[in-house]
Structures are given as C-alpha cells and as structure tokens.
Amino acid sequence: MSVRLLVLDGNSIFNRAFYGIKLLTTKKGFYTNAIYGFLTMLNKLKEETNPGAIAIAFDMKAPTFRHNSYKEYKANRKGMPPELAVQFPVLKELLADMGYKLVEKEGYEADDILGTLASTCEKAGQECVIATGDRDSLQLVGPHVTVRIAATKFGRPEVTLYDEPKIKEVYGVSPAQLIDIKAIQGDASDNIPGVLGIGEKGAGELVRKFGSLENLYANIDSSEIKESTRKKLIESKESAFLSKFLGTIVKDVPIDLALESYVPQKMDKYKVAKMLTDLEMFSLIKKMGLEVAVSEADEELKNSTKLRFEVILDESIANLEKVVKQQETFDFLLKYQNEKPGGMGINADGKVYILRDLSEYKSWIAAVMQDERLPKRTYDVKAVYESLHRLGVDAKNVKLDVLLGAYLLNPSGKNYGLETLAAEYKVSRAEVQASDEDYAQFAQNVAEFSGLCDEISQEIEENAQKKLLEEIELPLAGVLADMETTGFLIDTEGIRAYGEALTLELQEIQTEIYQQVGKEFNINSPKQLGVVLFEEMNLPKGKKTKSGYSTSADVLESIRGFHPVIELILQYREIAKLKNTYCDGLLKVVGPEGRVHSRFNQVETRTGRISSLEPNLQNIPVRTERGKELRRFFCAKAGCVLVDADYSQIELRILAHLADDQAMIDAFKHDLDIHTITASQVFGIPEGMVTPLMRSRAKAVNFGIVYGISAFSLAKDIGVLRKDAQTYIDNYLSHYAGVREYMRETIEAAKRDKFVETIFGRKRYLPEIASTNFNLRSFGERVARNMPIQGSAADIIKIAMINVSRKLKERKLTAKLILQVHDELIVEAPEGEALEVAALLKAEMEGAATLKVPLVAEANIGKTWYDAKQ
C-alpha cells in the first residue's frame, strides 16, 4: 500500500495551541482554545500534505522506560493547568469521532510512537510527515521522513518544514547527529543533564569535528579538544551517555505497524457536529462541511425535530392581513442586495412568506410597522430602520433585535450571523423548499427565526438584561440610524488644500531625513528603516526577528533622544497618516451632497462603547496641532452651527460612585480640581504647592487607576522610575481607601461570578480571571477593575443620545444629532436654535444618570468642529 502517513505529536501540538491562542470559552465557561487551535492546525497540515493516512500519538500518565532509568527525567515539568486539562479528554473524543486513530503505549512517549512509525515508513520506502511542536523529532528526518514544526502565533497556525538539507543548513550536521549534540548540551526542559558547562554552540562544534559522542570520547586526548573542555567531558562522561540514551527516540514500540490501519475511518458527522456545536466552533463546522447538529442524539428524534415550512412567495395583502392578525408577534427579516432591501421574509402561522418587491407592499408594510400594539422582532434593527426610512416608513414597538440580544448575552462573540446564532442557540433546524433559488437560504433563516427569537428572549430575561435591551440598545439603534442617514458636512476643498500642504511638508521632512542619514531609502519600509537606524547608524535596537528590526512607535519613542533623525521620522509618520488616512481617505468617502456618512457599530466592543467606521470619525487625531487642524474641515451647513458638548471626567465620577469613596465624592460635589487634590496626596504637599508637572503626573495616576495600570506602565507613561510609580499608586490608594476596597471587592466578585457588569447590567465575561497563567489572570483583573467604569460611561452617553434625540423631536426643533465620540456629542442646529440646543444638550447629558456625584457637561457653539471645541 503506497500512502503518505501524517503523524501528529498530540500532546505537543495541543500545548502549543493552548499557549498560542488567547483563552476562549463557551458561553457556559468551558475552555476551548487548545481544542480549536489543535483542529485548526490539523486542518492546515492536511491541506499542506494531503495524507492518505493519519496517526495521532499521545503520551500516557504512566512512567516510561526513561523515568525508570533516570528518576529525575522531566522532574521539573509542571502539570497541565486546569484550563488545558479539561480540554484534553474532549479533544481525544472528538478526534476519535472524526475517524482518526489515536495511538498510546504505556512505558513509551509519543515521540517513540512517532519514531516507530517513521522508521516503518523509511524501511518501506513510504513517505512520512511528522508534525510536532518540539525539535526532538528532527533526529528522525531521513530520505522519506520530514518533520514539520508546528506553532500557533497570534492565534494562527504556522508550520516550518525540515528535511535533510534544511537540518544541514541550520545545524551543520545530519539528523542522527542531533542526538549527540543534545547528549552534550543537555535539555533543561526535559531535565536531561548533558555535560556541565558545554552549551549548544560548543556541543555542535564537537559533533561536527568528531561525528558522534562515541568517537568524541574515543579521541578524548585529541589536540583539537581544549583542555578545559576535555576536563568537563571527562567529569561528565557518565552523564553524557545517559543523556544520549534519554534523548534517543526509540523505533520499536510494539504498536500496529500496518499503514492501512491509519487510514481515517468514516467520520460520525452527527456526533462531531454536535460536539463542535456545544463547543461553539461554528467556523469549523462550516469549514468541515458539517450540517449543524440538533440537541437530541437519537436519530429518530433528530428527524422529528426538523420543522418543515411551506414557502409562499408574494402572498396577497388580503391574506397577509389575516395571517398577521393571528400573531402575538410580527417576526420578520429583510433581505439585502447591494445594501438595499431586496425583500422581506415573515415567519407566521407555521409558514414562510417571502415578499420580493417591497414597493408593491409599501402601504401594508407601513400599516404593520406603525401599529404600536403589535410587538415586532427582527435582526439588525438599525439596518431595518434605515431601509424602512427609504420607504417613508417608521417601525414602532420593536421588542427584540436578535443581533443586539446576542451581543448583550455574549459581548466577546466573533460572529453574530443568523446561521451561527441558530446553531449556537440550538434552534430546531428547518426544512424549506423555495421555488426561487435566490431566496432559499433566506427562507431557511426566516423559518428558524421565531425559534431563535424565543431562545434569545428567554436568555435575556434570565440574564436580567431586558431593560438594558429595551430601554438603551433598541432605542439607540434608531438614533444611530438617523445619524448615519444625516452624516457630517465636510469642507472638501479645504481638506484637499490641507492635504496638498501636508504633501509639501512631507517632502521637506523626507529631504531632511535623507540628509541626516546620508542616503535615500524607503522611509515607509520597516525593513529598510531598521537597517538604516540599527545597522548603519548603530542606534540602540531591540531584538531582531526574521522580518527585521522593529521600528514601531514604541521603539522609536524609546530612542527619541539618541539622534535628531528619530524626531523627524516620527513627524514624517504623523503627517503621512494625516495625509493618507484622513485627507485622502475622507475625500474618497464623501457623498455627492458633501457629507460623510460614518457607520456606527453597536456590537463590536466588549465594553458597550459604540465604534465608528467608513470613515472612523472617532479616531480623528487630536493630540497634535496638525491633527486638530482636521476638525476645521468638519462644518455645519449654511445657516447652521455645530453644538458640541462633552462630559467632564465622567469615568472618574463613575469610579467615585461605584467605589463610594467619600474623599473623591466630596471633591466632585464641591467642584474641586481632582487632579490637584490627588497630586497633593500622592506627593505629600499642600495643594498650593502642586506644580503643573505634579498635576500632570497625578492625572496619569487618576486615569491609570481607572484602567488598572501597573507600576511598570505608569513609570513608562510619565517617565519616572518604577519604584516611584509604585509609590504614587500606593499613596493614591491610601488616600482613596474606597477605591482600594472597590478594586479588591470587584476582583473577588469577578473570580466568583466569572463576569463583571456596569451600573445598568451590561456584562462582560472573564474566563481569564481564573487562569493559572499569571499574565492572563492579570489581564482579567485589569479588565474587571476597568469594565464597570468604562462600560457604565458608555451606557450613560447612550442614554444621553436617546434623550437628546427624543427631546429635539418633542420640541419640534430641526437640529439633528450627527456624531458621538466617546464622551462627546455633536448636534448640527440652525443658528436660531443654537442656544436652546446647547442648553438641552447640557441638561440631558447631565441628567442621563443619577450618581453620588454630579455629572457635568459643557456645551460650546461654532461653525466648525474646531471652533466648537475651543
């Protein structure tokens, strides 16, 4: 039988996947990152090698012959962290159901199984591919055996191929001689002792000279061996030969050697799909071409739960009116073509009704949508509002948006598509037959939609988030739809001229950079820039990777004072970004009426903040004078002005409220300068002696505490020693004892509940906080401290947006809310309404929530965004 055999080192790849992918969990808290990483790597290896047979080798808990020979072997290895251990049996069960043969043998390691199967293939002239995360298996490479070193970096699988020429190129020896190198240098990770005092470089040189450990000791008196090295070799001879024994992979493990035994068996598609569904790995289900499983395991039950729907195309309005009157809710989806509604699907009376031309049903749709007594359930209500507005229709009494509901229940989710959600919430699968193929998938989504609505509604209720959904997120969607439709007027000629001016400035700085370094090169190429700065100019550099030296902003900032060219390069980058991203970028997306229509995303951030894209108006740079200039080109239309209002220190005020810190509460109640007070306490001096630098550092401490900053990060931010930064933090927490207690209690609650929440019940789940990994756990603790503050601020600005928008309509003002940027709102208002709108904005923002301290907002008026911020 001629077949390529792929052999996986199961434990090694499993471990690499766990540490290479951030901690992932299902909604119920089961860890999944190692399983996901392993399966992703397996799929990649299959695509690259196209094997006919696959074996997956695993270690067993029982001691091996190596442990019996040397009790210290791997004695320093820690056990699996609990987050990894719980995934192990699930992975093995899943692989078995997928039809793969798992190979284990008591007394041996997975490496020995790899060696035995590789040796079998070598003898038979069959091709063998070994996949592992460890380099120990490189000794197995031969004419018919290759090794692929598998790693997971930034969540993605990476594979490096090693064959005989590659090993010769990298190590300068044959694959078999790698055992001799290891025998001399030892291996700390496996507790293999080697020769004391000789490392990898020295071991390699000895093996290249003498060929093997045995020949080295046979020629121990050779003049080619330094006296100091000879002494080490003689003293560690027994250790060296023991190390070679321990490091040599055996090739005669008593396992099944028939390659046909490793041809994958037929996959149990139903069991695999069910397991992947339970693990919420929907992208893998799709990639593997598996039908999503239903919750029941019995085949007959599975068939009985599949709901069959009749699809009716373009039903008459008279019949639709009869059907809808019988419904408790109106469950509908819109189908989009080129971002415009291309049809409506209605789930009612056990049937799916597809309306393909909405213009023919406009009057009926208007009557249904404006019926305030009829609750409506849909998906992506913001898009629905915008689409219906084009028809001149308003939707009233929308009680559920499945997209927003799913986001509230799982704010860390990556995919809120209808098919994914139907699988995630185990909605009974629908069987539909649509005569129009263009509407087949849409009809299935509609058929399953009511079931999905019921599941999400129930979880929202159980999760105590109904009020958050109905009073904040759903009304906000309508506000955002209006903002997107209105857009923000741009002075296109002004931006074009500013871009041209930046181009000239770029050219001048480019010339100056060339003069400083004495040559021309591509400043935009990190690789070329790295060579110029760190090799040719010998400036302090970081670690070099295979892609070259890092020239990131952090790296350049750290060497800012070493040479004037660094300042020029930082300026060059700032100007280039302004020119390319903002000047050129804005001109590309400006509409025919001269306005840009940013899209606002409610379901992207984990804290509940709204994000902006195409263009991202929340990211307009404001820290530099050049960046601030961009705001001059965002303006009000003729006869109007911009009214801009933002909160004052809202996150610190929320911290005071949550922490119930009396010192901080008193400061805000008496309208005192919180940063000056903090500086006074941190530095132990009277408030009157606080300098601007001290206040600036205290400000960094204030906001740093909100974001769970460490002493290391604070020291870096404000340019002080780490011990000084720690002193600042300690003094801060000593004065604000309520804050210190809040931080402690919040972390304790997060560890107990596995989530934190805002004042308004928005939750963020934190599997990381229970991790045994210090970095992951520290990240979880920082998020636990910060999320209730930042998330509550996001909720408050959303409430303000809803109230401002409603009040503008109630007062029959023509002013419109057009932009939200974090803690700032901008309204475009006729000049005659400006003062009333400014007062309204201030009042509604300050009244959006009742805290233990006053919320303060300031409103300003100007013709441009720049003017309104002055």
Side-chain angles (χ1 to χ4, degrees), residues 487-631:
F488 205 144
L489 185 66
I490 299 291
D491 176 2
T492 53
E493 290 307 312
I495 283 189
R496 191 171 285 111
Y498 187 50
E500 291 169 357
L502 291 177
T503 299
L504 293 175
E505 196 173 354
L506 268 181
Q507 291 168 353
E508 291 172 3
I509 292 179
Q510 177 178 275
T511 301
E512 203 171 340
I513 290 171
Y514 292 160
Q515 289 172 350
Q516 289 279 353
V517 303
K519 62 179 284 188
E520 292 188 6
F521 66 100
N522 184 357
I523 303 170
N524 298 312
S525 165
K527 189 171 184 179
Q528 290 187 36
L529 181 60
V531 170
V532 168
L533 296 179
F534 305 126
E535 292 184 4
E536 297 176 8
M537 298 180 69
N538 288 316
L539 292 175
K541 54 184 174 286
K543 189 175 180 182
K544 186 177 183 181
T545 65
K546 59 184 179 183
S547 59
Y549 298 101
S550 171
T551 59
S552 67
D554 285 345
V555 170
L556 295 185
E557 286 285 354
S558 69
I559 58 172
R560 199 166 196 155
F562 283 87
H563 196 283
V565 75
I566 302 300
E567 181 67 35
L568 292 171
I569 291 167
L570 290 169
Q571 285 186 38
Y572 178 91
R573 285 184 173 178
E574 179 201 346
I575 297 167
K577 183 170 184 179
L578 287 173
K579 166 73 171 63
N580 300 328
T581 303
Y582 298 107
C583 292
D584 296 348
L586 285 169
L587 289 173
K588 287 177 184 176
V589 296
V590 66
E593 80 283 36
R595 303 180 83 93
V596 291
H597 300 268
S598 181
R599 290 196 294 116
F600 298 100
N601 194 336
Q602 277 178 271
V603 298
E604 183 176 331
T605 70
R606 297 182 181 188
T607 58
R609 277 189 167 185
I610 304 162
S611 65
S612 163
L613 61 158
E614 296 179 357
N616 183 356
L617 297 184
Q618 295 184 339
N619 212 26
I620 300 291
V622 295
R623 292 188 178 181
T624 64
E625 287 306 314
R626 290 190 189 92
K628 288 179 181 177
E629 282 294 306
L630 273 173
R631 289 182 166 180

Side-chain angles (χ1 to χ4, degrees), residues 172-224:
V173 296
S174 69
Q177 289 175 309
L178 292 172
I179 307 170
D180 300 283
I181 291 177
K182 185 169 184 173
I184 299 169
Q185 78 174 68
D187 185 343
S189 65
D190 288 344
N191 218 27
I192 294 176
V195 174
L196 188 64
I198 300 180
E200 182 179 7
K201 184 178 178 182
E205 290 173 355
L206 289 170
V207 173
R208 282 189 284 275
K209 280 181 185 176
F210 293 95
S212 68
L213 186 70
E214 291 76 9
N215 196 43
L216 170 63
Y217 276 98
N219 295 278
I220 196 68
D221 296 323
S222 170
S223 60
E224 293 188 74

Side-chain angles (χ1 to χ4, degrees), residues 760-867:
F760 301 91
R762 184 183 304 278
K763 293 178 171 63
R764 178 170 177 178
Y765 297 90
L766 290 172
E768 299 92 346
I769 203 157
S771 175
T772 54
N773 179 283
F774 175 78
N775 290 333
L776 278 174
R777 189 171 64 254
S778 297
F779 168 78
E781 290 176 357
R782 285 196 302 275
V783 173
R785 289 192 292 262
N786 166 246
M787 189 276 172
I789 301 166
Q790 193 178 95
S792 294
D795 289 338
I796 287 171
I797 193 87
K798 287 179 176 181
I799 294 168
M801 292 169 72
I802 295 163
N803 292 345
V804 166
S805 183
R806 187 182 68 249
K807 279 292 175 67
L808 289 173
K809 291 175 182 175
E810 285 177 358
R811 295 188 187 182
K812 295 184 170 46
L813 298 171
T814 55
K816 283 185 172 291
L817 182 62
I818 60 172
L819 185 63
Q820 180 262 345
V821 180
H822 306 313
D823 306 330
E824 174 185 3
L825 297 182
I826 301 176
V827 173
E828 185 177 37
E831 292 176 357
E833 296 178 0
L835 291 176
E836 182 180 358
V837 168
L840 184 154
L841 254 182
K842 179 176 171 63
E844 294 305 324
M845 289 177 72
E846 292 181 345
T850 303
L851 305 181
K852 295 167 187 172
V853 298
L855 281 173
V856 175
E858 292 299 327
N860 294 288
I861 301 169
K863 187 64 181 175
T864 70
W865 191 0
Y866 184 92
D867 297 332

Side-chain angles (χ1 to χ4, degrees), residues 16-262:
R16 295 296 186 278
F18 177 76
Y19 290 105
I21 298 178
K22 67 179 182 178
L23 217 54
L24 303 173
T25 68
T26 63
K27 291 205 306 299
K28 293 181 179 179
F30 184 83
Y31 297 102
T32 60
N33 59 322
I35 298 172
Y36 177 80
F38 189 101
L39 295 179
T40 303
M41 179 61 74
L42 176 57
N43 285 335
K44 181 177 177 64
L45 289 165
K46 284 169 60 180
E47 289 172 4
E48 290 186 354
T49 63
N50 191 28
I54 298 175
I56 305 176
F58 287 103
D59 294 328
M60 297 187 74
K61 287 185 177 180
T64 67
F65 69 90
R66 295 182 180 87
H67 294 91
N68 295 332
S69 300
Y70 181 57
K71 303 232 178 276
E72 298 303 310
Y73 180 65
K74 293 189 176 180
N76 56 352
R77 286 278 182 98
K78 295 179 180 178
M80 280 187 185
E83 304 94 325
L84 176 60
V86 295
Q87 300 181 58
F88 199 50
V90 177
L91 173 72
K92 292 170 82 170
E93 181 184 351
L94 188 53
L95 292 171
D97 289 338
M98 292 170 76
Y100 299 118
K101 187 165 183 176
L102 312 186
V103 193
E104 301 171 324
K105 193 66 180 177
E106 189 168 332
Y108 297 91
E109 295 179 61
D111 281 349
D112 300 318
I113 295 169
L114 269 57
T116 300
L117 291 173
S119 176
T120 301
C121 289
E122 197 72 82
K123 290 173 185 174
Q126 302 275 45
E127 189 177 349
C128 177
V129 178
I130 295 172
T132 177
D134 299 324
R135 296 180 182 270
D136 295 344
S137 296
L138 294 180
Q139 62 184 268
L140 301 173
V141 169
H144 297 94
V145 178
T146 57
V147 170
R148 290 175 185 251
I149 300 296
T152 303
K153 294 184 178 179
F154 306 110
R156 296 182 178 180
E158 289 188 5
V159 175
T160 305
L161 171 65
Y162 282 86
D163 53 14
E164 290 181 296
K166 176 78 169 177
I167 287 176
K168 188 72 176 176
E169 174 195 338
V170 175
Y171 298 100
V173 296
S174 69
Q177 289 175 309
L178 292 172
I179 307 170
D180 300 283
I181 291 177
K182 185 169 184 173
I184 299 169
Q185 78 174 68
D187 185 343
S189 65
D190 288 344
N191 218 27
I192 294 176
V195 174
L196 188 64
I198 300 180
E200 182 179 7
K201 184 178 178 182
E205 290 173 355
L206 289 170
V207 173
R208 282 189 284 275
K209 280 181 185 176
F210 293 95
S212 68
L213 186 70
E214 291 76 9
N215 196 43
L216 170 63
Y217 276 98
N219 295 278
I220 196 68
D221 296 323
S222 170
S223 60
E224 293 188 74
I225 303 175
K226 293 179 183 178
E227 189 56 40
S228 59
T229 302
R230 188 181 355 266
K231 184 179 179 184
K232 293 172 184 175
L233 287 166
I234 291 170
E235 290 176 352
S236 297
K237 181 176 180 179
E238 185 179 342
S239 174
F241 280 96
L242 171 64
S243 297
K244 183 164 184 177
F245 168 75
L246 296 173
T248 301
I249 295 174
V250 303
K251 301 177 180 178
D252 58 356
V253 179
I255 57 173
D256 188 348
L257 301 180
L259 296 187
E260 58 268 24
S261 301
Y262 298 98

Side-chain angles (χ1 to χ4, degrees), residues 330-367:
F330 183 67
D331 299 342
F332 72 98
L333 295 174
L334 290 185
K335 186 177 189 296
Y336 298 94
Q337 293 174 338
N338 299 322
E339 298 186 1
K340 294 182 179 179
M344 176 182 283
I346 302 161
N347 186 323
D349 193 30
K351 297 182 179 66
V352 170
Y353 298 88
I354 304 292
L355 316 180
R356 290 179 290 187
D357 186 352
L358 297 190
S359 62
E360 293 185 7
Y361 295 88
K362 181 178 175 180
S363 60
W364 177 77
I365 291 172

Side-chain angles (χ1 to χ4, degrees), residues 366-555:
V368 171
M369 291 297 169
Q370 291 168 5
D371 183 351
E372 297 187 24
R373 296 168 299 175
L374 180 63
K376 297 158 191 78
R377 305 192 296 188
T378 189
Y379 176 86
D380 192 359
V381 72
K382 178 165 69 70
V384 168
Y385 283 139
E386 291 179 3
S387 298
L388 293 178
H389 284 173
R390 293 191 190 103
L391 292 173
V393 174
D394 287 327
K396 296 180 179 178
N397 197 16
V398 176
K399 303 299 288 185
L400 176 66
D401 175 354
V402 161
L403 174 63
L404 291 176
Y407 166 68
L408 291 180
L409 293 170
N410 182 19
S412 300
K414 292 184 176 180
N415 186 341
Y416 300 110
L418 280 167
E419 290 89 348
T420 298
L421 292 176
E424 184 176 341
Y425 287 89
K426 298 182 175 62
V427 176
S428 296
R429 305 302 290 159
E431 187 176 282
V432 298
Q433 288 186 333
S435 56
D436 187 337
E437 288 187 8
D438 291 340
Y439 286 82
Q441 181 59 57
F442 180 63
Q444 178 156 344
N445 290 343
V446 175
E448 295 166 2
F449 187 62
S450 289
L452 180 57
C453 288
D454 292 343
E455 292 293 334
I456 287 183
S457 293
Q458 182 176 338
E459 285 211 22
I460 286 285
E461 192 86 47
E462 291 171 355
N463 218 32
Q465 291 186 308
K466 186 176 180 182
K467 188 174 181 181
L468 177 63
L469 174 66
E470 293 185 355
E471 296 185 12
I472 296 181
E473 294 299 339
L474 284 172
L476 179 70
V479 176
L480 295 178
D482 286 343
M483 287 166 59
E484 289 182 8
T485 301
T486 304
F488 205 144
L489 185 66
I490 299 291
D491 176 2
T492 53
E493 290 307 312
I495 283 189
R496 191 171 285 111
Y498 187 50
E500 291 169 357
L502 291 177
T503 299
L504 293 175
E505 196 173 354
L506 268 181
Q507 291 168 353
E508 291 172 3
I509 292 179
Q510 177 178 275
T511 301
E512 203 171 340
I513 290 171
Y514 292 160
Q515 289 172 350
Q516 289 279 353
V517 303
K519 62 179 284 188
E520 292 188 6
F521 66 100
N522 184 357
I523 303 170
N524 298 312
S525 165
K527 189 171 184 179
Q528 290 187 36
L529 181 60
V531 170
V532 168
L533 296 179
F534 305 126
E535 292 184 4
E536 297 176 8
M537 298 180 69
N538 288 316
L539 292 175
K541 54 184 174 286
K543 189 175 180 182
K544 186 177 183 181
T545 65
K546 59 184 179 183
S547 59
Y549 298 101
S550 171
T551 59
S552 67
D554 285 345
V555 170

